[in-house]
Amino acid sequence: MKSVLIIDDEIEICESIKMILEYENYHVQFVNNPFDAQEKLLFSDFSLILLDIQMPEMNGFQFLDWLAQKQIHTPVLMISAYSSLENAIQATKLGAFDFLEKPIDRNKLLISVRNGINQNNLLKENIQLKTNSNNEITMIGESSAMKNIMGIISRVAPTDVRVLITGENGTGKELVAKSIYQKSKRNDKPFVEVNCAAIPKELIESELFGHKKGSFTSAISDHIGKFEQADGGTLFLDEIGDMSLDAQSKVLRALEESKIQRVGDTENIQIDVRVIAATNKNLADEIKNGNFREDLFHRLNVIPIYVPPLRERKDDIPLLINYFNKVLSKKNGLQEKIFHQNAIEVIKNLKLTGNVRQLRNLIERILIMVSEQKVTVDLIQNLLPIEEFEIHNLYDVSNTFAEFKEKTEKIFIEKQLILNNWNISKTAEAMDIQRSHLYNKLKKYGLDKKVDNNG
Ligand SMILES: Nc1ncnc2c1ncn2[C@@H]1O[C@H](COP(=O)(O)OP(=O)(O)OP(=O)(O)O)[C@@H](O)[C@H]1O
Ligand SMILES: [Mg+2]
């Protein structure tokens, strides 16, 4: 519920404003002296403050000063019977967003209150975004692929060039975008994120560019779009490959002209936004199939960053396990675990099609589900994702029963080898067969070479 605090020494004024606003479903409190107001503001959060100028104990300007000192960012609407231009100027200088003359006009009051609250929401969103992104971004990885990416990040971050980040699900594309932002000179300005895949086609334009009240049925008030919210800062267009062609052409225009128009409005608004885009789609294919505009692709793809899947940078896996072990145990209030080398090996050899995200989830699951402090393979076997071992689809690719049996057997043996850290004797024991028998099978399936490579 939107809450308003009225600070005015005249009770009748407070009561009449309270009535108007309550009729419009605002939650209203009033106080007749600024000290009571200070107490309230220190202990609760309001959407808006209505502030009188002339009060015996402390005038409205002094009160604005106090708000600034306490870093209370609630929007303030000044109300005064002494409406001089000077007062109005002074009030805005000190941070009030609007000024109303007494006696208060109902309509003017309602419009002003609504604007103030909208502005407050926007401000809160920005503060939230800033705090989120001020958390130091940690990017783990010492593989040559990750080192290369980190190098590109430090080179492009201080500039305003556009970056297009590609890679499979969960590889860390968003992390790369945030890391560029954090190292950029725009890092004290907003980082605004749009997930283009999550917004319905009909709403994406208004989400990106904003709209004017009444421009379509559900547009009940003016709306400021993401491009405007990101003004001066960075706009992260995530899942750009899922954006409709219509929206693509509008984005292209915005990038070419550094100007936007709110939906239902003809006014051009100048914007200064650095765009970083990401997608897990292959945009070259999307262009070929007519789903993505080639001109937009070239605009976005000034610096391409490809984040390779985890299976192509396995050296990073032990580092990531160690990192997630630390941060996720802390997050969940658990003790850090010690991962046995054989457990690390097994995890390293999983397919992890969901990449770093899947690894993170797996480590979190292990931290929560395993009660022992030392994590060994036996303790995590039933937590490992079974589909990692490619059992499915075998039926489709086998022509005969014999072929199917062989393929299944090979996979089973390989899984056992992984679980037993590629040790043949242990694997034979686990499978309850003779070592020599197992050895023959390894040769048959070419697994003996893999044992050598992993041994
Ligand atoms: N190199 C890394 N170091 C530490 N954490 C990482 C790393 N890469 C990814 N992560 C973590 O893995 C998770 C997935 O990363 P992120 O959301 O950036 O991936 P994405 O490529 O944007 O995925 P999607 O395509 O599904 O949107 C996040 O929790 C992120 O913090
Ligand atoms: Mg992402």
Side-chain angles (χ1 to χ4, degrees):
M1 181 120 142
K2 291 156 190 150
S3 56
V4 176
L5 178 66
I6 309 170
I7 312 169
D8 196 321
D9 55 327
E10 287 174 78
I11 296 196
E12 304 81 59
I13 298 259
C14 292
E15 280 176 340
S16 72
I17 297 179
K18 183 170 194 259
M19 216 164 70
I20 298 174
L21 292 179
E22 280 184 342
Y23 190 74
E24 299 290 324
N25 284 331
Y26 291 98
H27 185 267
V28 184
Q29 294 184 39
F30 65 78
V31 287
N32 302 117
N33 80 69
F35 303 113
D36 290 349
Q38 291 180 338
E39 176 134 352
K40 276 199 187 296
L41 283 162
L42 289 176
F43 293 104
S44 42
D45 196 18
F46 290 86
S47 321
L48 185 103
I49 299 168
L50 289 175
L51 178 61
D52 187 20
I53 295 185
Q54 302 287 338
M55 291 179 288
E57 298 90 349
M58 179 195 274
N59 73 33
F61 298 133
Q62 291 166 321
F63 196 85
L64 283 174
D65 262 344
W66 177 83
L67 286 173
Q69 266 173 35
K70 294 285 170 206
Q71 302 218 349
I72 295 172
H73 302 291
T74 315
V76 178
L77 171 57
M78 299 296 273
I79 39 176
S80 176
Y82 308 90
S83 69
S84 66
L85 186 62
E86 274 157 42
N87 272 352
I89 292 175
Q90 173 77 348
T92 14
K93 259 196 193 154
L94 289 169
F97 78 93
D98 206 355
F99 189 93
L100 288 184
E101 226 178 297
K102 288 183 194 172
I104 303 285
D105 174 89
R106 183 181 171 279
N107 285 335
K108 279 191 188 154
L109 172 72
L110 290 178
I111 292 173
S112 216
V113 166
R114 194 181 325 120
N115 285 343
I117 288 178
N118 281 347
Q119 176 193 314
N120 187 34
N121 289 343
L122 196 62
L123 195 74
K124 272 197 183 148
E125 248 176 62
N126 281 349
I127 290 173
Q128 171 82 24
L129 286 164
K130 273 195 210 162
T131 21
N132 280 351
S133 36
N134 276 349
N135 293 340
E136 193 56 44
I137 300 285
T138 318
M139 230 163 97
I140 303 294
E142 283 181 5
S143 58
S144 57
M146 282 311 282
K147 278 191 184 147
N148 183 31
I149 289 175
M150 290 173 195
I152 301 176
I153 293 176
S154 3
R155 216 160 312 141
V156 299
T159 73
D160 271 345
V161 295
R162 295 188 197 115
V163 180
L164 178 65
I165 309 163
T166 53
E168 287 180 12
N169 281 327
T171 44
K173 298 184 291 298
E174 186 171 335
L175 204 65
V176 169
K178 286 187 171 154
S179 164
I180 294 175
Y181 161 73
Q182 204 171 54
K183 293 187 163 64
S184 78
K185 55 182 189 287
R186 292 172 178 254
N187 65 6
D188 58 340
K189 301 278 164 41
F191 176 84
V192 176
E193 193 176 334
V194 190
N195 184 336
C196 305
I199 303 168
K201 220 169 125 194
E202 318 76 60
L203 290 185
I204 181 104
E205 245 188 83
S206 124
E207 202 50 35
L208 290 173
F209 305 112
H211 62 242
K212 225 176 137 60
K213 179 180 173 182
S215 52
F216 50 92
T217 335
S218 56
I220 48 169
S221 59
D222 286 354
H223 171 69
I224 297 178
K226 302 285 187 190
F227 266 94
E228 263 184 271
Q229 288 178 30
D231 197 22
T234 305
L235 180 65
F236 177 41
L237 295 174
D238 201 2
E239 316 285 3
I240 186 103
D242 293 86
M243 187 183 271
S244 70
L245 282 166
D246 251 5
Q248 286 175 35
S249 53
K250 303 248 160 67
V251 169
L252 178 68
R253 212 196 116 209
L255 297 185
E256 278 173 346
E257 301 176 3
S258 299
K259 275 185 211 136
I260 57 139
Q261 278 183 0
R262 293 187 187 166
V263 176
D265 204 347
T266 49
E267 190 198 341
N268 279 318
I269 302 172
Q270 193 73 34
I271 41 140
D272 163 30
V273 165
R274 185 212 196 148
V275 171
I276 302 178
T279 180
N280 54 23
K281 292 202 166 158
N282 179 334
L283 287 186
D285 287 349
E286 296 301 311
I287 292 170
K288 232 183 278 156
N289 297 330
N291 298 325
F292 203 84
R293 292 187 64 123
E294 187 165 2
D295 41 11
L296 178 59
F297 171 76
H298 291 301
R299 288 267 165 196
L300 295 171
N301 195 39
V302 182
I303 303 287
I305 296 184
Y306 169 66
V307 191
L310 205 44
R311 63 183 170 278
E312 287 171 19
R313 45 182 166 111
K314 286 190 177 205
D315 290 351
D316 289 339
I317 293 179
L319 300 173
L320 283 163
I321 295 177
N322 183 29
Y323 171 70
F324 290 136
N325 182 16
K326 282 204 166 58
V327 293
L328 298 175
S329 56
K330 199 159 168 200
K331 176 189 142 212
N332 290 298
L334 300 162
Q335 215 194 348
E336 256 181 61
K337 301 229 179 269
I338 299 163
F339 280 77
H340 192 282
Q341 198 52 40
N342 69 10
I344 294 177
E345 276 311 308
V346 166
I347 296 173
K348 227 173 131 175
N349 284 296
L350 294 174
K351 279 212 334 218
L352 298 171
T353 45
N355 295 296
V356 187
R357 181 177 298 111
Q358 190 185 2
L359 178 63
R360 182 193 154 101
N361 292 344
L362 175 65
I363 302 304
E364 190 160 32
R365 207 178 316 148
I366 292 172
L367 288 173
I368 294 171
M369 301 303 287
V370 175
S371 31
E372 288 81 349
Q373 208 209 344
K374 290 196 174 124
V375 178
T376 55
V377 178
D378 335 340
L379 293 171
I380 58 172
Q381 274 200 46
N382 53 359
L383 297 175
L384 299 176
I386 281 298
E387 73 276 17
E388 294 303 325
F389 298 103
E390 281 182 74
I391 306 267
H392 58 314
N393 290 340
L394 275 188
Y395 180 75
D396 292 341
V397 295
S398 306
N399 293 316
T400 61
F401 182 46
E403 200 181 331
F404 177 73
K405 272 199 297 188
E406 283 188 359
K407 284 189 168 138
T408 326
E409 187 173 62
K410 178 182 173 199
I411 287 166
F412 184 78
I413 294 174
E414 189 168 353
K415 177 182 167 176
Q416 292 300 320
L417 282 167
I418 293 172
L419 292 176
N420 290 287
N421 209 14
W422 300 95
N423 180 311
I424 299 180
S425 306
K426 274 197 199 158
T427 307
E429 201 181 330
M431 289 175 66
D432 199 17
I433 57 174
Q434 294 282 322
R435 192 182 185 283
S436 55
H437 187 44
L438 175 62
Y439 193 74
N440 289 337
K441 291 208 183 276
L442 296 183
K443 280 193 105 156
K444 175 175 171 192
Y445 296 128
L447 288 170
D448 51 340
K449 290 182 204 84
K450 267 198 165 176
V451 172
D452 290 343
N453 290 339
N454 285 286

